[in-house]
Amino acid sequence: KILVTGALGQIGSELVAKLRQIYGADQVIATDVRNNGHEITRSGAFETLDVTDGKAMFEMAKKHQADTMIHLAALLSATAEEKPLLAWNLNMGGLVNALEVSRELGCQFFTPSSIGAFGPSTPKDNTPQDTIQRPTTMYGVNKVSGELLCDYYFHKYGLDTRGIRFPGLISYVTPPGGGTTDYAVEIYYAAVNQGRYASFIDKGTYMDMMYMPDALNAIVQLMEADASKLQHRNAFNVTAMSVDPEAISASIRQVMPSFVLEYEVDPKRQAIAESWPNSIDASAAAREWGFKASYDLDAMTKDMLAQLSSREMLAKKA
Ligand code: VAH
């Protein structure tokens, strides 16, 4: 059985649906700190779980005979910068609980890292798989610590830990909460609903992005990969594109010529974005487990606008 924490979040809500499709609805136990009535809470087992409660997590994983742990519950970069100590306690407390439960029950383990695990002294263009990591955000400190902790559990206890450094993820099912790359999701919602968007990230600020379907495939592919082929484990760079707000806007205007992009730069999230790479090198993931993104910017834009527009039309009819 697969236990997923943070199952109602941007990644979790879609990953649970995919895992239930692949392995069977009864194989996936979705958990989150609160039940918000999302379809995921009705399409299979759902339990409320606060990941900072290690005992509750152990009891739940044991009760469901979990053999795989997908730990997604965390605060993202912008929120973590506003509440650094809460972020440390939730992001690191939750992670060490999930690792301990997995060690005790012998679960295979996945948790995401992020391009946020890099800092201003990291080479910014085509950032290597192995390079300096001195992030200047609490989220980045959590991600680097998390990568090292997952490697430790692998080397010390033989726990089969695996992880991916995700770029900004773009999706239309569940909005992200408190991220720096959220502008790249909001821009599509705003294009469909208002025909215009004021970006909180400035023109010319390049960051890696990827469409959610590619992220979900990457998680399944890595978890199913032959362990003997993995030279790395807990921090594979992956990416599909490196874009700035202007590039996304131009892509949207190919479908909606009247779309208007303006700027209302948020200095806090701009500073976070500027501390991250412009583009990263994903060759290790391609080599070691066959990672390959299938959506480029224009394919993602077409699908995002089509999905959001049809939802908008349905809402209008309702
Ligand atoms: C964030 N979406 O913005 C997340 C992610 C690379 C970005 O870590 O914090």
Side-chain angles (χ1 to χ4, degrees), residues 76-77 114-115 139 166-168 179-181 276:
L76 295 183
S77 56
S114 158
I115 58 173
Y139 179 74
F166 279 126
T180 299
T181 59
W276 291 353

Side-chain angles (χ1 to χ4, degrees), residues 26 38 56 58 68 93 115 128 141 167 172 174 176 185 187 206 209 216-217 219 225 268 277:
D26 60 344
H38 189 285
F58 177 78
T68 305
I115 58 173
V141 168
Y172 57 84
T174 305
V185 179
I187 192 169
Y206 282 84
M209 301 284 175
L216 303 180
N217 285 332
I219 295 172
K268 289 181 182 171

Side-chain angles (χ1 to χ4, degrees), residues 74-88 91 137-142 177-180 272:
L75 293 183
L76 295 183
S77 56
T79 308
E81 213 48 35
E82 293 303 306
K83 303 172 185 164
L85 281 188
L86 172 65
W88 176 267
N91 291 348
T137 63
M138 173 52 84
Y139 179 74
V141 168
N142 296 160
T180 299
I272 294 174

